[in-house]
Amino acid sequence: MIVAQITDTHIRPPGSLAYGRVDTGAFLAQAIAHINALDPAPDVVILTGDVADTGAVEEYDHVVKLLAPLKAPLLALPGNHDRRETFRAAFAGRMELPSGNAHLSYAVERYPLRLVMIDDTVPGKPHGEVTAGHVDWLENTLASEPEKPTLVAMHHPPFLTGIGHMDVQNCRGAEALAEVLSTHPQVLALACGHVHRNILTRFAGKPASICPSQAHAVSLALGPGAPSSFHMDPPSLHLHVWQDDGSRFGSLLIHQSFIGDIDGPHPFFIE
């Protein structure tokens, strides 16, 4: 099973550039074309937040049109730039979202790899938070399928990256989240967004990753007090590949797939 992850699309209204210079809509269209051309095709695409740039209705209208050509099923989460109710209305026709919840967290059961999507956003705030309500929901959700391999996804990373201006707005309540995840061996990995960079680490004893944005990248500035800035790195996305290798829960790999006109493939051996 292949799960393509895109994140932090920051879509603006048509004709408007993010930060005055990034055509995020064009980058998303390029990413969708790339995903559609993958062979084998992904079974599902997850979009882990900051779908829109300000949460405006016209931004979501643009997102829906940009995502229309996507062949694979889509699962999405809001990020701190999104607005829950506008997000819910925009995606109501494409996927089933929970109703009546303080957070739009949900689990998807129909694939060999179970997908548990945690909405950790805090309305009006840049940081995320795992509350007692999240913890109860997650514990009950994971306990209901203890033998099914699971990928957990959320917007904000619950760990520090070394990029100071992003670390102050990561996910709070990380200790409570780690306590739940560490007691469920079927959770194979944690996939996040928010930081716009390809980052790999471990959290709660599990592999954990941050997917790069398909548009602009947060600058790799690890020095103390480094200013907030972005670079136009080559766009890429993550492919989470689950394999039934005969072990109890199978294995999960993460590949970085670069988007655009990449030179190759070239044979290693020529007659």
Side-chain angles (χ1 to χ4, degrees):
M1 177 179 166
I2 300 175
V3 179
Q5 182 186 2
I6 57 177
T7 194
D8 296 273
T9 50
H10 286 270
I11 298 302
R12 300 279 297 172
S16 177
L17 301 178
Y19 310 105
R21 63 181 303 132
V22 185
D23 188 349
T24 52
F27 279 109
L28 178 56
Q30 185 183 34
I32 297 304
H34 176 80
I35 292 170
N36 285 342
L38 289 172
D39 185 17
D43 297 275
V44 64
V45 176
I46 60 174
L47 172 49
T48 48
D50 282 359
V51 178
D53 195 43
T54 69
V57 172
E58 57 266 33
E59 293 175 345
Y60 290 109
D61 289 342
H62 195 195
V63 167
V64 170
K65 292 176 182 177
L66 289 167
L67 290 171
L70 180 64
K71 297 176 182 178
L74 176 72
L75 303 172
L77 281 171
N80 52 286
H81 280 250
D82 295 302
R83 296 180 185 173
R84 276 201 186 113
E85 291 310 310
T86 317
F87 174 96
R88 187 202 301 271
F91 288 107
R94 183 130 195 182
M95 59 191 207
E96 293 184 12
L97 289 169
S99 59
N101 286 358
H103 53 94
L104 298 181
S105 301
Y106 58 100
V108 178
E109 316 285 353
R110 60 183 175 269
Y111 301 108
L113 179 69
R114 192 185 194 207
L115 301 170
V116 174
M117 314 286 283
I118 302 175
D119 170 16
D120 73 317
T121 56
V122 179
K125 301 294 183 181
H127 67 270
E129 185 173 9
V130 171
T131 65
H134 287 92
V135 169
D136 290 344
W137 177 86
L138 182 61
E139 174 58 40
N140 291 333
T141 299
L142 294 177
S144 69
E145 289 284 356
E147 294 301 319
K148 190 163 186 180
T150 300
L151 173 65
V152 175
M154 59 195 298
H155 179 65
H156 296 85
F159 49 82
L160 299 178
T161 67
I163 302 174
H165 68 95
M166 297 302 295
D167 284 343
V168 297
Q169 50 177 288
N170 66 356
C171 181
R172 301 176 184 178
E175 291 184 3
L177 175 63
E179 186 174 349
V180 175
L181 295 180
S182 64
T183 60
H184 291 278
Q186 79 273 26
V187 176
L188 300 181
L190 173 67
C192 307
H194 188 58
V195 186
H196 293 232
R197 296 206 63 83
N198 179 43
I199 299 174
L200 306 174
T201 186
R202 291 186 69 80
F203 177 77
K206 319 281 186 181
S209 61
I210 298 175
C211 181
S213 170
Q214 290 65 64
H216 50 293
V218 167
S219 300
L220 183 56
L222 299 176
S228 172
S229 64
F230 66 89
H231 279 70
M232 299 309 298
D233 288 1
S236 64
L237 52 81
H238 277 174
L239 296 176
H240 303 268
V241 181
W242 178 82
Q243 301 173 99
D244 183 358
D245 60 1
S247 62
R248 182 181 177 189
F249 299 116
S251 62
L252 187 64
L253 302 167
I254 303 172
H255 293 274
Q256 185 179 13
S257 182
F258 286 93
I259 300 167
D261 187 12
I262 308 298
D263 188 16
H266 303 288
F268 281 109
F269 303 101
I270 301 174
E271 292 184 6

